[in-house]
Amino acid sequence: MVRVLALKSRSSSTWRLGLVVAGLVACYSIKPLPEDATLAPPSPFDGASAGDAREILGVKLRWCPAGTFIMGSPPGEPERRPGEDQVEVMISKGFWMGQYEVTQGEWARVMGAFPAEFNVGQGDDFPMYRVTYFEVEDFSRRLTELAHASGELPADWEFRLPTEAQWEYAARAGTTTPTSFGTSLSSTQANFQGRPYNGGAPGPSINQTTPVGSYPPNPWGLYDLYGNVNEWCRDWVHEQLPGGVDPDSYSVRGETNRDGTYPRARRGGCYADDGWACRAGFRQRFEPERRHEHIGFRIVAVRT
């Protein structure tokens, strides 16, 4: 079993969290969880360090190591919204996340026909969008079956949507600012429409999706976590962020919308949003049976 050790920098009062594996520090956090917190044993399929690359059935992935982070946004963050109160989260098992949003080309290879017409960008390298939550789950199951059959994915791993916690952990990539780019966001750094965030430099407003990877990646080599299309997450939406170890609200419904429907989570903002909606801590909701051109998805490979 791998122990979680709290380390304090000699040069500052900031706590960091070291995941000590064979004498190497793999990940950091600004605040440790309790001393008795433990991680799952490592898997031979794990990456060696954050941002390691792997490809399965043509899908490019990046390694997100186990670790802890502070989920949500601090009270003073500009444009902060309700439901972002911070919680401590521990990711006890590392996971592989799609380097890009799932593309239309990848969907066609796995599923064949498209469930709806495209109207804000079309081509093999454009993100898949106008897909319901249930269609995305079907894609994930089919991709898992194909990867198991090819031997590229171990039997005890599967593809699925990320939890809100996994999504935000990967989007932050060890940073604590509103996005992994810092305290501001320019429309030269992400595909969004309208006002840059917190003094970011203005850039082009495309007003539609762009091919994945058109903007700079975050520190773990992940592209378009901010902007382009919103990304479905695994969880039902709860007013309060879930904290603790591996929080997962897949099976536990939260609060209803005004019409009595239950929403699933989506993250990341999109090409039609202002920059503030692309913050790592910003949360949005959408009913799982609906589809929209603003919403696509990204997958993770996780150990079951």
Side-chain angles (χ1 to χ4, degrees):
M1 188 165 287
V2 183
R3 297 287 299 176
V4 178
L5 304 180
L7 308 173
K8 197 169 186 179
S9 169
R10 294 180 180 178
S11 61
S12 74
S13 61
T14 300
W15 285 95
R16 69 179 188 177
L17 186 83
L19 308 188
V20 182
V21 184
L24 300 177
V25 176
C27 190
Y28 303 93
S29 174
I30 63 170
K31 189 175 182 181
L33 287 176
E35 292 183 0
D36 60 351
T38 56
L39 303 178
S43 163
F45 197 66
D46 288 354
S49 59
D52 279 358
R54 182 184 289 274
E55 187 170 323
I56 299 176
L57 296 178
V59 177
K60 297 181 185 299
L61 305 163
R62 293 285 183 163
W63 178 244
C64 302
T68 70
F69 78 113
I70 306 301
M71 186 179 182
S73 62
E77 183 168 299
E79 305 283 2
R80 189 175 189 265
R81 295 298 194 267
E84 298 179 19
D85 290 349
Q86 290 182 310
V87 293
E88 296 179 8
V89 171
M90 178 181 190
I91 304 295
S92 73
K93 293 183 285 189
F95 56 93
W96 295 94
M97 175 172 263
Q99 179 172 320
Y100 306 111
E101 295 159 335
V102 169
T103 66
Q104 295 167 23
E106 289 166 343
W107 181 277
R109 291 199 302 272
V110 174
M111 302 297 286
F114 297 118
E117 293 183 357
F118 301 114
N119 61 340
V120 288
Q122 184 170 359
D124 283 351
D125 293 331
F126 280 79
M128 186 65 190
Y129 57 89
R130 299 192 73 189
V131 281
T132 69
Y133 182 94
F134 305 111
E135 291 163 347
V136 170
E137 286 204 310
D138 287 343
F139 173 93
S140 301
R141 282 192 290 267
R142 178 60 178 155
L143 184 63
T144 298
E145 292 169 357
L146 293 171
H148 285 164
S150 72
E152 296 178 60
L153 187 70
D156 60 341
W157 287 70
E158 68 178 9
F159 285 108
R160 69 185 192 193
L161 285 171
T163 64
E164 278 199 88
Q166 288 171 330
W167 189 96
E168 187 172 328
Y169 179 63
R172 292 188 179 281
T175 67
T176 59
T177 45
T179 77
S180 62
F181 297 110
T183 57
S184 63
L185 185 66
S186 165
S187 44
T188 64
Q189 296 170 314
N191 180 16
F192 61 87
Q193 176 75 21
R195 180 167 56 95
Y197 174 66
N198 199 31
S205 291
I206 308 299
N207 201 29
Q208 69 162 50
T209 63
T210 52
V212 299
S214 296
Y215 293 81
N218 79 359
W220 289 356
L222 299 166
Y223 291 80
D224 299 311
L225 284 156
Y226 310 109
N228 215 19
V229 289
N230 284 287
E231 299 177 11
W232 281 115
C233 289
R234 174 177 167 86
D235 299 336
W236 292 107
V237 174
H238 292 252
E239 288 184 6
Q240 184 173 8
L241 281 169
V245 179
D246 300 322
D248 185 343
S249 300
Y250 176 74
S251 301
V252 181
R253 288 182 172 181
E255 297 76 21
T256 63
N257 294 321
R258 293 179 181 178
D259 62 0
T261 57
Y262 289 89
R264 293 279 185 178
R266 55 186 171 121
R267 291 293 199 110
C270 74
Y271 67 89
D273 285 323
D274 284 334
W276 67 265
C278 300
R279 295 175 302 112
F282 181 57
R283 308 172 69 201
Q284 290 177 287
R285 57 179 63 205
F286 208 70
E287 295 70 48
E289 63 276 6
R290 295 175 60 196
R291 69 177 81 247
H292 202 285
E293 59 263 27
H294 294 168
I295 306 176
F297 68 106
R298 185 186 305 262
I299 54 172
V300 293
V302 298
R303 187 164 28 135
T304 57

